[in-house]
């Protein structure tokens, strides 16, 4: 079953604009991760934020985590056509589980 | 070194046939994971290994699915008597550490797209 749900399911923006994607989850987590999947390629890890962190930056990426609302957001600033991809949040549930539980993804299209 | 590799990249088979999907993790990575991804969905966990030990197989949908990692490196996911509903992308991932950190970063391979006719 899907633990996380991304919102929106699809997003289309112009190059140079910012893109914001949201993720909600259901159970307590150890950490939350964002992955990108380009068409025909594998999943690439973007950023990991732990449950005791509220915000994290990596280049043009900014991730926030609100454990009280069980939600996270991914902001991509100054988007480029190459950012066109599906973006997934994945949670590591608290406890002994090692696997990641993925949401259904947001399809981002950046128009040149 | 090289990333996670999977073979074959594409597999078309007839219903009822057995298939074996191979995963070669990043050299030295201790943990290996198998996921299945349906079109338009995120990956769903199947099973994982630390070294050669299968630690969790709770995601395997039924007993037609099995996995092994006999020498703690390459892993094979086998689906017996395939059914059309088994059609999906099968992804393998590896991570460097065993035990300890929960939910560490996983490095994914390109996947094997399985089509059962």
């Amino acid at each position: 079953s899907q633990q996380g749900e991304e919102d929106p399911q699809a997003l289309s923006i112009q190059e140079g604009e910012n893109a914001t994607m949201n993720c909600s989850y259901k159970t307590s987590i150890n950490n939350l991760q964002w992955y990108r999947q380009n068409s025909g390629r594998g999943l690439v890890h973007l950023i990991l934020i732990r449950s005791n962190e509220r915000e994290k930056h990596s280049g043009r990426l900014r991730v926030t985590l609100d454990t009280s609302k069980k939600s996270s957001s991914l902001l991509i600033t100054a988007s480029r056509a190459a950012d066109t991809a599906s973006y997934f949040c994945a949670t590591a549930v608290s406890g002994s589980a090692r696997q990641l539980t993925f949401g259904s993804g947001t399809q981002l299209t950046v128009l040149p | 070194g090289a990333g996670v590799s999977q073979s074959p990249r594409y597999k078309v088979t007839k219903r009822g046939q057995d298939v074996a999907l191979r995963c070669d993790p990043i050299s030295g990575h201790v943990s290996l994971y198998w996921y299945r991804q349906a079109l338009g969905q995120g990956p769903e966990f199947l099973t994982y290994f630390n070294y050669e030990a299968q630690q969790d197989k709770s995601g395997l949908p039924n007993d037609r699915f099995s996995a092994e990692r006999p020498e703690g490196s390459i892993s094979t996911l086998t689906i017996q008597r395939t059914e059309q509903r088994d059609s999906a992308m099968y992804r393998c991932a590896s991570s460097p550490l065993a035990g300890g950190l929960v939910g560490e970063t996983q490095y994914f391979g390109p996947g094997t797209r399985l089509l059962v006719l």
Side-chain angles (χ1 to χ4, degrees):
Chain A
S1 62
Q2 303 281 332
Q3 146 89 316
E5 291 296 330
E6 284 91 341
D7 170 55
Q9 290 187 330
L11 178 62
S12 184
I13 59 174
Q14 294 292 133
E15 205 165 27
E17 293 180 339
N18 296 341
T20 300
M21 289 159 270
N22 303 296
C23 168
S24 60
Y25 57 91
K26 298 174 185 174
T27 62
S28 295
I29 61 171
N30 178 282
N31 66 60
L32 185 145
Q33 305 176 34
W34 285 89
Y35 286 78
R36 180 183 69 209
Q37 180 176 323
N38 295 94
S39 176
R41 302 184 66 178
L43 283 155
V44 175
H45 178 261
L46 295 177
I47 195 165
L48 180 155
I49 186 166
R50 301 201 181 278
S51 59
N52 61 353
E53 297 176 305
R54 291 296 166 259
E55 187 171 314
K56 203 161 183 179
H57 296 254
S58 177
R60 294 184 295 113
L61 306 179
R62 172 178 169 253
V63 170
T64 63
L65 179 65
D66 186 336
T67 53
S68 66
K69 295 181 179 178
K70 292 186 168 59
S71 67
S72 173
S73 66
L74 171 67
L75 168 68
I76 305 173
T77 60
S79 63
R80 306 166 181 167
D83 294 329
T84 295
S86 292
Y87 291 81
F88 295 92
C89 68
T91 52
V93 176
S94 295
S96 60
R98 296 295 308 286
Q99 67 268 29
L100 297 175
T101 305
F102 285 81
S104 53
T106 291
Q107 173 60 50
L108 173 66
T109 301
V110 181
L111 303 170
Chain B
V4 178
S5 62
Q6 293 185 243
S7 61
R9 293 291 306 277
Y10 302 92
K11 178 69 177 178
V12 181
T13 190
K14 292 183 178 179
R15 186 179 55 182
Q17 297 293 308
D18 298 350
V19 295
L21 312 180
R22 172 182 164 131
C23 173
D24 200 340
I26 294 173
S27 178
H29 277 198
V30 171
S31 296
L32 184 148
Y33 303 79
W34 282 100
Y35 292 83
R36 180 170 69 174
Q37 185 175 13
L39 203 61
Q41 297 293 317
E44 286 192 297
F45 170 77
L46 295 176
T47 185
Y48 94 91
F49 295 82
N50 277 346
Y51 301 99
E52 71 283 358
Q54 191 170 21
Q55 298 291 334
D56 185 344
K57 54 181 181 179
S58 62
L60 295 177
N62 53 60
D63 60 8
R64 295 186 297 106
F65 288 72
S66 63
E68 62 175 9
R69 193 187 185 197
E71 297 179 0
S73 180
I74 294 168
S75 176
T76 302
L77 176 70
T78 301
I79 309 173
Q80 296 179 312
R81 304 180 303 281
T82 53
E83 301 178 3
Q84 289 182 326
R85 60 178 172 161
D86 299 334
S87 296
M89 176 73 83
Y90 289 83
R91 296 196 183 275
C92 173
S94 69
S95 60
L97 300 176
L101 297 178
V102 173
E104 59 184 338
T105 298
Q106 297 179 16
Y107 299 85
F108 282 81
T112 294
R113 185 168 294 282
L114 174 66
L115 177 61
V116 182
L117 301 176

PDB file of all heavy atoms in Angstrom, chain A residues 35-54:
ATOM      1  N   TYR A  35      12.814  11.340  -4.363  1.00  0.00           N
ATOM      2  CA  TYR A  35      13.486  10.739  -5.493  1.00  0.00           C
ATOM      3  C   TYR A  35      12.926  11.318  -6.785  1.00  0.00           C
ATOM      4  O   TYR A  35      11.764  11.726  -6.839  1.00  0.00           O
ATOM      5  CB  TYR A  35      13.283   9.212  -5.516  1.00  0.00           C
ATOM      6  CG  TYR A  35      14.087   8.456  -4.481  1.00  0.00           C
ATOM      7  CD1 TYR A  35      13.680   8.425  -3.146  1.00  0.00           C
ATOM      8  CD2 TYR A  35      15.238   7.775  -4.841  1.00  0.00           C
ATOM      9  CE1 TYR A  35      14.414   7.722  -2.203  1.00  0.00           C
ATOM     10  CE2 TYR A  35      15.976   7.064  -3.894  1.00  0.00           C
ATOM     11  CZ  TYR A  35      15.554   7.046  -2.584  1.00  0.00           C
ATOM     12  OH  TYR A  35      16.287   6.349  -1.650  1.00  0.00           O
ATOM     13  N   ARG A  36      13.743  11.303  -7.810  1.00  0.00           N
ATOM     14  CA  ARG A  36      13.327  11.750  -9.134  1.00  0.00           C
ATOM     15  C   ARG A  36      13.446  10.579 -10.102  1.00  0.00           C
ATOM     16  O   ARG A  36      14.393   9.804 -10.031  1.00  0.00           O
ATOM     17  CB  ARG A  36      14.212  12.900  -9.620  1.00  0.00           C
ATOM     18  CG  ARG A  36      13.841  13.428 -10.991  1.00  0.00           C
ATOM     19  CD  ARG A  36      14.809  14.512 -11.418  1.00  0.00           C
ATOM     20  NE  ARG A  36      16.130  13.962 -11.677  1.00  0.00           N
ATOM     21  CZ  ARG A  36      17.262  14.645 -11.516  1.00  0.00           C
ATOM     22  NH1 ARG A  36      17.231  15.900 -11.087  1.00  0.00           N
ATOM     23  NH2 ARG A  36      18.417  14.076 -11.782  1.00  0.00           N
ATOM     24  N   GLN A  37      12.493  10.487 -11.009  1.00  0.00           N
ATOM     25  CA  GLN A  37      12.506   9.438 -12.015  1.00  0.00           C
ATOM     26  C   GLN A  37      12.279  10.077 -13.369  1.00  0.00           C
ATOM     27  O   GLN A  37      11.195  10.588 -13.646  1.00  0.00           O
ATOM     28  CB  GLN A  37      11.427   8.396 -11.740  1.00  0.00           C
ATOM     29  CG  GLN A  37      11.397   7.262 -12.761  1.00  0.00           C
ATOM     30  CD  GLN A  37      10.376   6.210 -12.396  1.00  0.00           C
ATOM     31  OE1 GLN A  37      10.175   5.882 -11.233  1.00  0.00           O
ATOM     32  NE2 GLN A  37       9.722   5.661 -13.392  1.00  0.00           N
ATOM     33  N   ASN A  38      13.321  10.052 -14.178  1.00  0.00           N
ATOM     34  CA  ASN A  38      13.189  10.541 -15.543  1.00  0.00           C
ATOM     35  C   ASN A  38      12.598   9.439 -16.409  1.00  0.00           C
ATOM     36  O   ASN A  38      12.722   8.263 -16.087  1.00  0.00           O
ATOM     37  CB  ASN A  38      14.551  10.958 -16.104  1.00  0.00           C
ATOM     38  CG  ASN A  38      15.123  12.121 -15.355  1.00  0.00           C
ATOM     39  OD1 ASN A  38      15.896  11.951 -14.418  1.00  0.00           O
ATOM     40  ND2 ASN A  38      14.730  13.317 -15.746  1.00  0.00           N
ATOM     41  N   SER A  39      11.993   9.836 -17.509  1.00  0.00           N
ATOM     42  CA  SER A  39      11.384   8.879 -18.415  1.00  0.00           C
ATOM     43  C   SER A  39      12.424   7.862 -18.860  1.00  0.00           C
ATOM     44  O   SER A  39      13.483   8.213 -19.372  1.00  0.00           O
ATOM     45  CB  SER A  39      10.806   9.611 -19.620  1.00  0.00           C
ATOM     46  OG  SER A  39      10.299   8.701 -20.552  1.00  0.00           O
ATOM     47  N   GLY A  40      12.123   6.590 -18.646  1.00  0.00           N
ATOM     48  CA  GLY A  40      13.001   5.527 -19.107  1.00  0.00           C
ATOM     49  C   GLY A  40      14.254   5.324 -18.284  1.00  0.00           C
ATOM     50  O   GLY A  40      15.122   4.549 -18.658  1.00  0.00           O
ATOM     51  N   ARG A  41      14.347   5.992 -17.150  1.00  0.00           N
ATOM     52  CA  ARG A  41      15.558   5.852 -16.344  1.00  0.00           C
ATOM     53  C   ARG A  41      15.196   5.451 -14.922  1.00  0.00           C
ATOM     54  O   ARG A  41      14.056   5.365 -14.544  1.00  0.00           O
ATOM     55  CB  ARG A  41      16.344   7.158 -16.357  1.00  0.00           C
ATOM     56  CG  ARG A  41      16.728   7.592 -17.751  1.00  0.00           C
ATOM     57  CD  ARG A  41      17.584   8.833 -17.732  1.00  0.00           C
ATOM     58  NE  ARG A  41      18.882   8.586 -17.106  1.00  0.00           N
ATOM     59  CZ  ARG A  41      19.822   9.516 -17.016  1.00  0.00           C
ATOM     60  NH1 ARG A  41      19.612  10.723 -17.475  1.00  0.00           N
ATOM     61  NH2 ARG A  41      20.975   9.245 -16.449  1.00  0.00           N
ATOM     62  N   GLY A  42      16.208   5.202 -14.144  1.00  0.00           N
ATOM     63  CA  GLY A  42      16.000   4.745 -12.779  1.00  0.00           C
ATOM     64  C   GLY A  42      15.652   5.877 -11.844  1.00  0.00           C
ATOM     65  O   GLY A  42      15.615   7.046 -12.215  1.00  0.00           O
ATOM     66  N   LEU A  43      15.405   5.512 -10.622  1.00  0.00           N
ATOM     67  CA  LEU A  43      15.122   6.471  -9.563  1.00  0.00           C
ATOM     68  C   LEU A  43      16.427   7.038  -9.023  1.00  0.00           C
ATOM     69  O   LEU A  43      17.356   6.301  -8.726  1.00  0.00           O
ATOM     70  CB  LEU A  43      14.375   5.784  -8.429  1.00  0.00           C
ATOM     71  CG  LEU A  43      12.906   5.511  -8.669  1.00  0.00           C
ATOM     72  CD1 LEU A  43      12.441   4.351  -7.834  1.00  0.00           C
ATOM     73  CD2 LEU A  43      12.082   6.740  -8.364  1.00  0.00           C
ATOM     74  N   VAL A  44      16.464   8.332  -8.895  1.00  0.00           N
ATOM     75  CA  VAL A  44      17.658   9.001  -8.384  1.00  0.00           C
ATOM     76  C   VAL A  44      17.320   9.699  -7.083  1.00  0.00           C
ATOM     77  O   VAL A  44      16.346  10.458  -7.006  1.00  0.00           O
ATOM     78  CB  VAL A  44      18.192  10.027  -9.403  1.00  0.00           C
ATOM     79  CG1 VAL A  44      19.358  10.808  -8.808  1.00  0.00           C
ATOM     80  CG2 VAL A  44      18.613   9.328 -10.687  1.00  0.00           C
ATOM     81  N   HIS A  45      18.116   9.436  -6.065  1.00  0.00           N
ATOM     82  CA  HIS A  45      17.903  10.056  -4.762  1.00  0.00           C
ATOM     83  C   HIS A  45      18.254  11.546  -4.819  1.00  0.00           C
ATOM     84  O   HIS A  45      19.300  11.923  -5.356  1.00  0.00           O
ATOM     85  CB  HIS A  45      18.782   9.369  -3.722  1.00  0.00           C
ATOM     86  CG  HIS A  45      18.671   9.958  -2.364  1.00  0.00           C
ATOM     87  ND1 HIS A  45      19.578  10.855  -1.858  1.00  0.00           N
ATOM     88  CD2 HIS A  45      17.731   9.805  -1.403  1.00  0.00           C
ATOM     89  CE1 HIS A  45      19.222  11.206  -0.645  1.00  0.00           C
ATOM     90  NE2 HIS A  45      18.104  10.586  -0.344  1.00  0.00           N
ATOM     91  N   LEU A  46      17.363  12.364  -4.291  1.00  0.00           N
ATOM     92  CA  LEU A  46      17.593  13.808  -4.295  1.00  0.00           C
ATOM     93  C   LEU A  46      18.018  14.314  -2.922  1.00  0.00           C
ATOM     94  O   LEU A  46      19.020  15.017  -2.790  1.00  0.00           O
ATOM     95  CB  LEU A  46      16.316  14.537  -4.731  1.00  0.00           C
ATOM     96  CG  LEU A  46      15.840  14.294  -6.159  1.00  0.00           C
ATOM     97  CD1 LEU A  46      14.529  15.023  -6.404  1.00  0.00           C
ATOM     98  CD2 LEU A  46      16.893  14.732  -7.168  1.00  0.00           C
ATOM     99  N   ILE A  47      17.235  13.991  -1.911  1.00  0.00           N
ATOM    100  CA  ILE A  47      17.484  14.575  -0.601  1.00  0.00           C
ATOM    101  C   ILE A  47      16.780  13.757   0.476  1.00  0.00           C
ATOM    102  O   ILE A  47      15.733  13.153   0.215  1.00  0.00           O
ATOM    103  CB  ILE A  47      17.001  16.049  -0.594  1.00  0.00           C
ATOM    104  CG1 ILE A  47      17.556  16.823   0.590  1.00  0.00           C
ATOM    105  CG2 ILE A  47      15.493  16.140  -0.696  1.00  0.00           C
ATOM    106  CD1 ILE A  47      17.402  18.334   0.435  1.00  0.00           C
ATOM    107  N   LEU A  48      17.365  13.731   1.641  1.00  0.00           N
ATOM    108  CA  LEU A  48      16.800  13.016   2.788  1.00  0.00           C
ATOM    109  C   LEU A  48      16.654  13.996   3.935  1.00  0.00           C
ATOM    110  O   LEU A  48      17.592  14.760   4.218  1.00  0.00           O
ATOM    111  CB  LEU A  48      17.713  11.858   3.180  1.00  0.00           C
ATOM    112  CG  LEU A  48      17.334  10.954   4.366  1.00  0.00           C
ATOM    113  CD1 LEU A  48      17.974   9.584   4.194  1.00  0.00           C
ATOM    114  CD2 LEU A  48      17.741  11.536   5.701  1.00  0.00           C
ATOM    115  N   ILE A  49      15.513  13.990   4.598  1.00  0.00           N
ATOM    116  CA  ILE A  49      15.301  14.837   5.767  1.00  0.00           C
ATOM    117  C   ILE A  49      14.849  13.940   6.906  1.00  0.00           C
ATOM    118  O   ILE A  49      13.959  13.095   6.740  1.00  0.00           O
ATOM    119  CB  ILE A  49      14.292  15.972   5.462  1.00  0.00           C
ATOM    120  CG1 ILE A  49      14.198  16.926   6.656  1.00  0.00           C
ATOM    121  CG2 ILE A  49      12.927  15.443   5.051  1.00  0.00           C
ATOM    122  CD1 ILE A  49      13.500  18.259   6.318  1.00  0.00           C
ATOM    123  N   ARG A  50      15.470  14.093   8.049  1.00  0.00           N
ATOM    124  CA  ARG A  50      15.170  13.236   9.191  1.00  0.00           C
ATOM    125  C   ARG A  50      13.999  13.819   9.979  1.00  0.00           C
ATOM    126  O   ARG A  50      13.674  15.006   9.870  1.00  0.00           O
ATOM    127  CB  ARG A  50      16.408  13.080  10.073  1.00  0.00           C
ATOM    128  CG  ARG A  50      17.562  12.473   9.306  1.00  0.00           C
ATOM    129  CD  ARG A  50      18.613  11.844  10.183  1.00  0.00           C
ATOM    130  NE  ARG A  50      19.707  11.309   9.370  1.00  0.00           N
ATOM    131  CZ  ARG A  50      19.676  10.135   8.757  1.00  0.00           C
ATOM    132  NH1 ARG A  50      18.614   9.363   8.853  1.00  0.00           N
ATOM    133  NH2 ARG A  50      20.713   9.724   8.057  1.00  0.00           N
ATOM    134  N   SER A  51      13.416  12.999  10.799  1.00  0.00           N
ATOM    135  CA  SER A  51      12.190  13.397  11.500  1.00  0.00           C
ATOM    136  C   SER A  51      12.419  14.543  12.478  1.00  0.00           C
ATOM    137  O   SER A  51      11.479  15.254  12.829  1.00  0.00           O
ATOM    138  CB  SER A  51      11.579  12.205  12.238  1.00  0.00           C
ATOM    139  OG  SER A  51      12.500  11.688  13.176  1.00  0.00           O
ATOM    140  N   ASN A  52      13.673  14.741  12.903  1.00  0.00           N
ATOM    141  CA  ASN A  52      13.959  15.840  13.839  1.00  0.00           C
ATOM    142  C   ASN A  52      14.424  17.106  13.112  1.00  0.00           C
ATOM    143  O   ASN A  52      14.842  18.070  13.754  1.00  0.00           O
ATOM    144  CB  ASN A  52      14.991  15.420  14.868  1.00  0.00           C
ATOM    145  CG  ASN A  52      16.312  15.042  14.252  1.00  0.00           C
ATOM    146  OD1 ASN A  52      16.438  14.955  13.020  1.00  0.00           O
ATOM    147  ND2 ASN A  52      17.317  14.799  15.075  1.00  0.00           N
ATOM    148  N   GLU A  53      14.356  17.103  11.798  1.00  0.00           N
ATOM    149  CA  GLU A  53      14.719  18.271  11.004  1.00  0.00           C
ATOM    150  C   GLU A  53      13.454  18.907  10.438  1.00  0.00           C
ATOM    151  O   GLU A  53      12.461  18.211  10.172  1.00  0.00           O
ATOM    152  CB  GLU A  53      15.667  17.886   9.866  1.00  0.00           C
ATOM    153  CG  GLU A  53      17.000  17.320  10.356  1.00  0.00           C
ATOM    154  CD  GLU A  53      17.876  16.863   9.204  1.00  0.00           C
ATOM    155  OE1 GLU A  53      17.398  16.044   8.391  1.00  0.00           O
ATOM    156  OE2 GLU A  53      19.040  17.317   9.139  1.00  0.00           O
ATOM    157  N   ARG A  54      13.502  20.199  10.197  1.00  0.00           N
ATOM    158  CA  ARG A  54      12.326  20.902   9.682  1.00  0.00           C
ATOM    159  C   ARG A  54      12.539  21.393   8.259  1.00  0.00           C
ATOM    160  O   ARG A  54      11.573  21.567   7.508  1.00  0.00           O
ATOM    161  CB  ARG A  54      11.992  22.083  10.585  1.00  0.00           C
ATOM    162  CG  ARG A  54      11.490  21.655  11.938  1.00  0.00           C
ATOM    163  CD  ARG A  54      10.163  20.892  11.833  1.00  0.00           C
ATOM    164  NE  ARG A  54       9.823  20.205  13.066  1.00  0.00           N
ATOM    165  CZ  ARG A  54      10.009  18.904  13.248  1.00  0.00           C
ATOM    166  NH1 ARG A  54      10.520  18.141  12.300  1.00  0.00           N
ATOM    167  NH2 ARG A  54       9.664  18.336  14.405  1.00  0.00           N
TER     168      ARG A  54
END
